[in-house]
Amino acid sequence: MKNFWKFHPVNFNLRSFFYLSLFLIVATFAGFQSCQKDISSIGLNLKDRDDLINAIFTDSISINAYSILEDTLNTKNLISNYLGFIKDPVFGTTTAGIYTQFIPQGSSVSLGEFPQLDSIVLTLRYSGGFFGDTLNPFSIKVYRITEDISSTKPYYQNNVFAHSDENLTYKSDFILFPKPTSNVMLDTFVVAHARIKLSDELGNLFLRNVSQMASNESFKSFFKGLYICAIPLANNGSLVNFNLTSEISGIQLYYKNDTIKRQLSFPVRSTETVRISTYQHEYKQGSAEFVNQVLQKDTTLGKDILYLQSMGGVKTKISFPNIKEFKDKNVVINKAELVITNIGEDLNLFPPPNRLNIQGIDKKGEITAIPDYNTSFWGGNYDETNKEYRFRITRYIQSILLRDEYQPYLYLVTDRAAADANRLLLNGTNPTNNSSSRLRLEIYYTEY
């Protein structure tokens, strides 16, 4: 045992030296290899870390921004549809209408002998959403569509379909007092809905043409659908949201055979009918500042104030003209965050959008998602406390510097712009009264 312990320390030290030397060689080689990695991977997985050691901060990146009219938006077969009008002191007047098809309920329709009309009613179930003051009523007119609606074509917010000149509401001056959250009795149960009595002429037309109800396609060919539109009144209006594909919504035909009362429904099925939201904007009725920037295209006004509006309305173009100067400085972008501040005043009447979105532009000039989109640290939600939105666009900025994959400008839009009703006033790039909350890009970077 003594001889063993005398020899063992020597043997142990030689082995330790050997393994230590081997470890240092491997570590050095690995470190060299890590230095050769593509610089684009640096700083991209920081997520919500703010402990950016040795990083340099700047929020003075040059930004140009101005608001423009939105391009066309596909408004076909939305989950819900807005109806009404809103008079906005900044954006002018917006009117929302609906084109929709119907089909007969059931595969074989029989009205029995000598059916006599009782009434015909258009029922629309509220979805609960609204915009503006629902104490303000609006007039509704209903017209029969005379043009085919295709199930395969896209349709946009400014599409117009031919329709008859005859208003089909039972009263020519039908006024809707919106009650999107009030339940009303419907047959045997209570639900929030609007009922619009239609003309007897339409009801009798259905009774005379039961043969056209043999199939969904034959009925849609005979009766192409309804155009439901709002007519502004002498108030500031409101927009209310309806769920057309609810089992409550549709046309209800009430009739009787002798003394027996009967009912036939014509629903709006999500997979068998087409419904389209249409929005009309009268922007010339808006504020002078809005008209000058958005309609007259005075882009210099974006320094003070910028605008966003859903419903195929207004978006904001944001560009970074000097961002490539970072490329000459040999820097790595650790974190880049776009900060947008809400400066709207009447937040009860015009609440800010819950969420915004960003559209990138590729080399070909086409709209595309940027690489940060929909990641866990993407952002875009409204911060009510700070009245701002933040987007983490680190990968996008890094891609511009390294590979020129994207154009150095973005479009800022409202989320769900085709389906939601909202608008936003935001600080410009250099507002006169509040430069600390200006539209800005906050960057943490490391020099190498």
Side-chain angles (χ1 to χ4, degrees), residues 323-427:
I323 193 65
K324 290 190 177 182
E325 291 180 358
F326 271 96
K327 192 172 184 178
D328 299 330
K329 294 181 180 180
N330 295 325
V331 302
V332 175
I333 305 299
N334 304 123
K335 176 181 171 184
E337 208 165 33
L338 185 65
V339 186
I340 301 111
T341 303
N342 171 28
I343 58 171
E345 296 180 353
D346 197 344
L347 301 185
N348 291 323
L349 188 61
F350 303 116
N354 293 327
R355 184 175 177 81
L356 301 183
N357 212 336
I358 282 177
Q359 299 171 338
I361 311 298
D362 63 19
K363 289 183 178 180
K364 298 178 181 179
E366 297 179 354
I367 292 177
T368 185
I370 66 174
D372 307 85
Y373 174 70
N374 222 19
T375 55
S376 59
F377 49 94
W378 167 238
N381 294 316
Y382 183 57
D383 180 347
E384 188 173 354
T385 302
N386 296 311
K387 295 185 177 181
E388 67 181 23
Y389 304 82
R390 285 177 175 265
F391 286 95
R392 195 73 65 89
I393 57 172
T394 311
R395 297 182 180 182
Y396 165 74
I397 297 297
Q398 193 79 53
S399 296
I400 291 177
L401 299 181
L402 295 175
R403 293 183 291 271
D404 289 326
E405 291 183 8
Y406 302 91
Q407 303 285 359
Y409 64 89
L410 302 163
Y411 288 120
L412 182 66
V413 298
T414 62
D415 194 47
R416 289 171 44 87
D420 285 347
N422 49 51
R423 51 81 132 178
L424 181 68
L425 307 181
L426 49 140
N427 249 344

Side-chain angles (χ1 to χ4, degrees), residues 225-263:
L226 293 177
Y227 172 41
I228 311 164
C229 63
I231 307 300
L233 300 178
N235 58 55
N236 291 327
S238 60
L239 295 166
V240 287
N241 202 239
F242 291 105
N243 181 0
L244 268 64
T245 58
S246 165
E247 61 181 8
I248 304 303
S249 299
I251 297 173
Q252 311 297 327
L253 177 65
Y254 299 94
Y255 67 99
K256 59 185 176 181
N257 301 109
D258 292 331
T259 59
I260 301 176
K261 294 183 178 181
R262 303 182 187 277
Q263 175 183 344

Side-chain angles (χ1 to χ4, degrees), residues 209-230:
N209 289 274
V210 65
S211 62
Q212 303 290 343
M213 304 176 192
S215 69
N216 293 341
E217 294 307 313
S218 63
F219 181 77
K220 286 187 290 186
S221 178
F222 157 69
F223 183 73
K224 302 183 188 305
L226 293 177
Y227 172 41
I228 311 164
C229 63

Side-chain angles (χ1 to χ4, degrees), residues 2-21:
K2 291 183 178 180
N3 290 336
F4 174 79
W5 283 112
K6 286 181 180 179
F7 172 77
H8 186 262
V10 176
N11 186 44
F12 175 79
N13 289 336
L14 289 174
R15 289 181 179 179
S16 299
F17 178 77
F18 171 76
Y19 287 122
L20 177 61
S21 300

Side-chain angles (χ1 to χ4, degrees), residues 32-285:
F32 175 78
Q33 287 294 97
S34 66
C35 291
Q36 308 306 308
K37 287 184 178 180
D38 184 350
I39 196 172
S40 65
S41 66
I42 302 176
L44 301 187
N45 296 314
L46 292 174
K47 296 187 177 181
D48 296 314
R49 286 184 53 187
D50 291 316
D51 54 331
L52 300 170
I53 301 174
N54 297 324
I56 302 170
F57 172 81
T58 181
D59 63 355
S60 58
I61 303 299
S62 178
I63 297 180
N64 292 335
Y66 53 90
S67 299
I68 58 177
L69 294 178
E70 178 61 277
D71 298 324
T72 54
L73 293 176
N74 192 339
T75 59
K76 178 181 176 181
N77 293 346
L78 301 175
I79 295 176
S80 56
N81 302 84
Y82 273 95
L83 181 66
F85 79 97
I86 195 82
K87 290 181 180 177
D88 190 310
V90 176
F91 291 79
T93 300
T94 294
T95 306
I98 304 167
Y99 294 102
T100 183
Q101 296 175 318
F102 301 85
I103 57 173
Q105 189 174 47
S107 56
S108 58
V109 176
S110 175
L111 301 180
E113 294 185 352
F114 310 112
Q116 296 179 342
L117 179 68
D118 185 350
S119 63
I120 184 169
V121 178
L122 173 63
T123 305
L124 301 172
R125 179 166 185 172
Y126 289 109
S127 71
F130 62 89
F131 188 68
D133 188 352
T134 56
L135 295 178
N136 294 328
F138 53 87
S139 176
I140 289 180
K141 294 188 182 298
V142 180
Y143 299 97
R144 182 180 177 184
I145 299 172
T146 58
E147 179 181 349
D148 286 329
I149 297 177
S150 171
S151 61
T152 58
K153 293 181 180 179
Y155 291 114
Y156 305 96
Q157 84 275 10
N158 53 5
N159 276 119
V160 176
F161 294 88
H163 60 77
S164 64
D165 294 330
E166 180 185 2
N167 174 29
L168 296 177
T169 60
Y170 192 80
K171 293 182 179 181
S172 59
D173 59 344
F174 179 85
I175 307 296
L176 178 68
F177 291 85
K179 297 180 179 180
T181 59
S182 298
N183 291 329
V184 180
M185 179 65 71
L186 176 62
D187 295 333
T188 60
F189 53 94
V190 177
V191 65
H193 73 285
R195 291 172 64 84
I196 305 169
K197 186 176 181 181
L198 302 179
S199 68
D200 288 349
E201 287 79 5
L202 180 63
N204 286 316
L205 178 69
F206 280 13
L207 293 180
R208 293 193 304 267
N209 289 274
V210 65
S211 62
Q212 303 290 343
M213 304 176 192
S215 69
N216 293 341
E217 294 307 313
S218 63
F219 181 77
K220 286 187 290 186
S221 178
F222 157 69
F223 183 73
K224 302 183 188 305
L226 293 177
Y227 172 41
I228 311 164
C229 63
I231 307 300
L233 300 178
N235 58 55
N236 291 327
S238 60
L239 295 166
V240 287
N241 202 239
F242 291 105
N243 181 0
L244 268 64
T245 58
S246 165
E247 61 181 8
I248 304 303
S249 299
I251 297 173
Q252 311 297 327
L253 177 65
Y254 299 94
Y255 67 99
K256 59 185 176 181
N257 301 109
D258 292 331
T259 59
I260 301 176
K261 294 183 178 181
R262 303 182 187 277
Q263 175 183 344
L264 178 63
S265 297
F266 298 84
V268 180
R269 299 296 187 203
S270 59
T271 58
E272 299 170 84
T273 59
V274 175
R275 59 218 173 270
I276 304 149
S277 282
T278 176
Y279 305 114
Q280 299 174 8
H281 302 284
E282 298 294 337
Y283 288 130
K284 291 182 180 180
Q285 300 174 8

